[in-house]
Amino acid sequence: MADPKPIIFSGIQPTGSKHLGNFIGAIRQYVEGQDRGEPAIFCVVDLHSISVPYDPGDLRERVLDTAAILLAAGLDPERCIFFRQSDVREHTEMTWLLSAVTSHGDLDRMTQFKEKVGKARELASAALFYYPVLMASDVLVYRATEVPVGEDQRQHVELMREIARRFNARFGDTLVVPELVLPEVGARIMDLQEPERKMSTTGGTEQGTVLVLDDEKTIRKKVGSAVTDSGREVRAAPDKPGVTNLIDILAVARGTGRAEIEREFDGAGYGDFKKAVADGVVDLLGPVRERYEELRPDEAALEATLAAGAEKAREIAAATMVDVRARMGFG
């Protein structure tokens, strides 16, 4: 008998413009996962966005921007469940109930919170501190077995696994302990100008961040000015973070491995190598940008897609909540 198909869940924030790191580390996994999952569930996690200052009107626009990018990248509402997080209220109810098995110390150890708030810890919102519990609820309310995310979310996924185990130990076997799924290559794409830091639209450099919607000229300029090192050897190594990052990007764009890239450019120098990386990124992102420009103007169609997905998601989440409430003594 064949193994059962996984239940896949992942979400993406509608904050900032989506960049190459998002595309390689998350979006590409979504598209590949929608034929493996039964179901494969993906959502725009707008509730997470309110953990930092934001404008309500801008948030609505960015949700649609993000939805259009994901659809342009290949998400198919006929092959997956795709929705807006805030349209399924079971996420927020589950978050409060899971607080019973989440300690303050768990959240205090989250490195992303510490990195984001810096010295302004006392001014940070409670929502930012509590963010990992909402993320756990997003996954556990669907009893997902796989969570495809970037390397930077590893600690959050480990916490949600621990929350599920604690809940089951205290209230009875109810929740599924999900598995983290990382891409084999490109789990952490770095800033082209500061390759010791991950690519980001909020904490990275403008020139070092390739946006999914950048045009060809902009992409070639950013890749061409990428930081490498004083040598000429195209080789992945800890002391060559800039070159290693570009190797990973090209490997993903071509669907190959690091070793193949290193062999191809052995002795070639950085000029030819960077041109090939730029070509690869243009080929990878060009069709997405073109499709996005077709989809984004029809906001009614985007809203209809998200609403239809929310109805499917709500049916699954509601069934989980019946069991969770009963186990916890409610109703």
Side-chain angles (χ1 to χ4, degrees):
M1 183 180 293
D3 292 335
K5 286 191 172 185
I7 300 172
I8 299 172
F9 179 92
S10 196
I12 190 166
Q13 281 212 50
T15 49
S17 301
K18 297 302 131 192
H19 55 72
L20 182 62
N22 299 137
F23 187 85
I24 290 175
I27 297 172
R28 191 173 57 96
Q29 288 198 85
Y30 299 176
V31 175
E32 293 172 354
Q34 59 187 345
D35 288 327
R36 286 196 311 108
E38 198 171 277
I41 308 167
F42 307 108
C43 78
V44 182
V45 290
D46 54 339
L47 291 174
H48 286 285
S49 298
I50 70 170
S51 62
V52 295
Y54 76 102
D55 174 80
D58 185 48
L59 174 60
R60 293 188 187 96
E61 289 296 310
R62 286 188 281 108
V63 166
L64 296 180
D65 291 345
T66 304
I69 287 176
L70 292 174
L71 294 171
L75 276 195
D76 180 356
E78 298 300 318
R79 294 155 57 204
C80 69
I81 296 175
F82 179 49
F83 68 104
R84 174 172 38 212
Q85 180 190 30
S86 61
D87 289 342
V88 181
R89 296 183 180 181
E90 284 78 3
H91 288 245
T92 49
E93 181 183 4
M94 184 69 144
T95 300
W96 178 248
L97 297 183
L98 290 183
S99 67
V101 291
T102 309
S103 72
H104 184 279
D106 291 329
L107 302 179
D108 208 33
R109 285 187 288 273
M110 295 294 105
T111 56
Q112 276 207 12
F113 174 75
K114 295 174 184 177
E115 290 170 357
K116 287 183 178 181
V117 300
K119 295 181 179 179
R121 184 183 181 92
E122 295 301 316
L123 299 176
S125 71
L128 185 60
F129 185 70
Y130 211 61
Y131 179 111
V133 188
L134 177 57
M135 182 174 170
S137 300
D138 294 338
V139 177
L140 300 181
V141 79
Y142 297 101
R143 293 182 168 126
T145 58
E146 290 187 5
V147 189
V149 291
E151 172 66 34
D152 59 321
Q153 296 298 320
R154 180 185 291 273
Q155 190 183 31
H156 287 162
V157 175
E158 284 303 318
L159 176 60
M160 77 173 63
R161 285 168 52 82
E162 179 60 23
I163 289 173
R165 285 190 288 260
R166 286 183 197 164
F167 187 98
N168 291 342
R170 183 171 172 184
F171 298 109
D173 195 18
T174 310
L175 302 178
V176 172
V177 180
E179 297 292 334
L180 170 69
V181 179
L182 297 174
E184 293 183 9
V185 180
R188 192 175 179 88
I189 298 300
M190 313 306 282
D191 189 290
L192 300 185
Q193 292 297 312
E194 298 180 4
E196 295 81 11
R197 302 167 58 186
K198 72 170 186 174
M199 188 174 288
S200 171
T201 52
T202 52
T205 66
E206 182 177 354
Q207 191 62 23
T209 304
V210 176
L211 302 179
V212 172
L213 301 181
D214 276 343
D215 59 32
E216 179 176 345
K217 181 179 178 181
T218 301
I219 291 173
R220 293 190 182 280
K221 182 178 179 181
K222 289 179 177 179
V223 174
S225 64
V227 169
T228 49
D229 58 51
S230 57
R232 289 174 52 81
E233 188 178 10
V234 178
R235 176 175 55 87
D239 62 341
K240 298 169 75 73
V243 174
T244 301
N245 191 42
L246 292 176
I247 289 173
D248 283 348
I249 290 171
L250 183 55
V252 169
R254 290 185 174 181
T256 186
R258 283 180 173 179
E260 289 86 345
I261 303 300
E262 291 173 336
R263 281 196 294 270
E264 179 179 347
F265 293 95
D266 183 22
Y270 291 154
D272 291 343
F273 174 53
K274 284 186 175 181
K275 181 181 182 304
V277 176
D279 289 343
V281 175
V282 168
D283 290 344
L284 185 68
L285 298 182
V288 179
R289 185 182 69 253
E290 293 172 8
R291 180 65 176 145
Y292 171 87
E293 291 170 355
E294 295 173 3
L295 293 171
R296 182 61 181 86
D298 193 346
E299 295 192 352
L302 293 173
E303 288 285 1
T305 295
L306 294 172
E311 187 172 345
K312 296 175 185 176
R314 198 175 299 118
E315 184 176 345
I316 300 171
T320 303
M321 293 309 302
V322 168
D323 292 341
V324 169
R325 291 190 200 105
R327 290 285 192 178
M328 296 185 73
F330 299 118

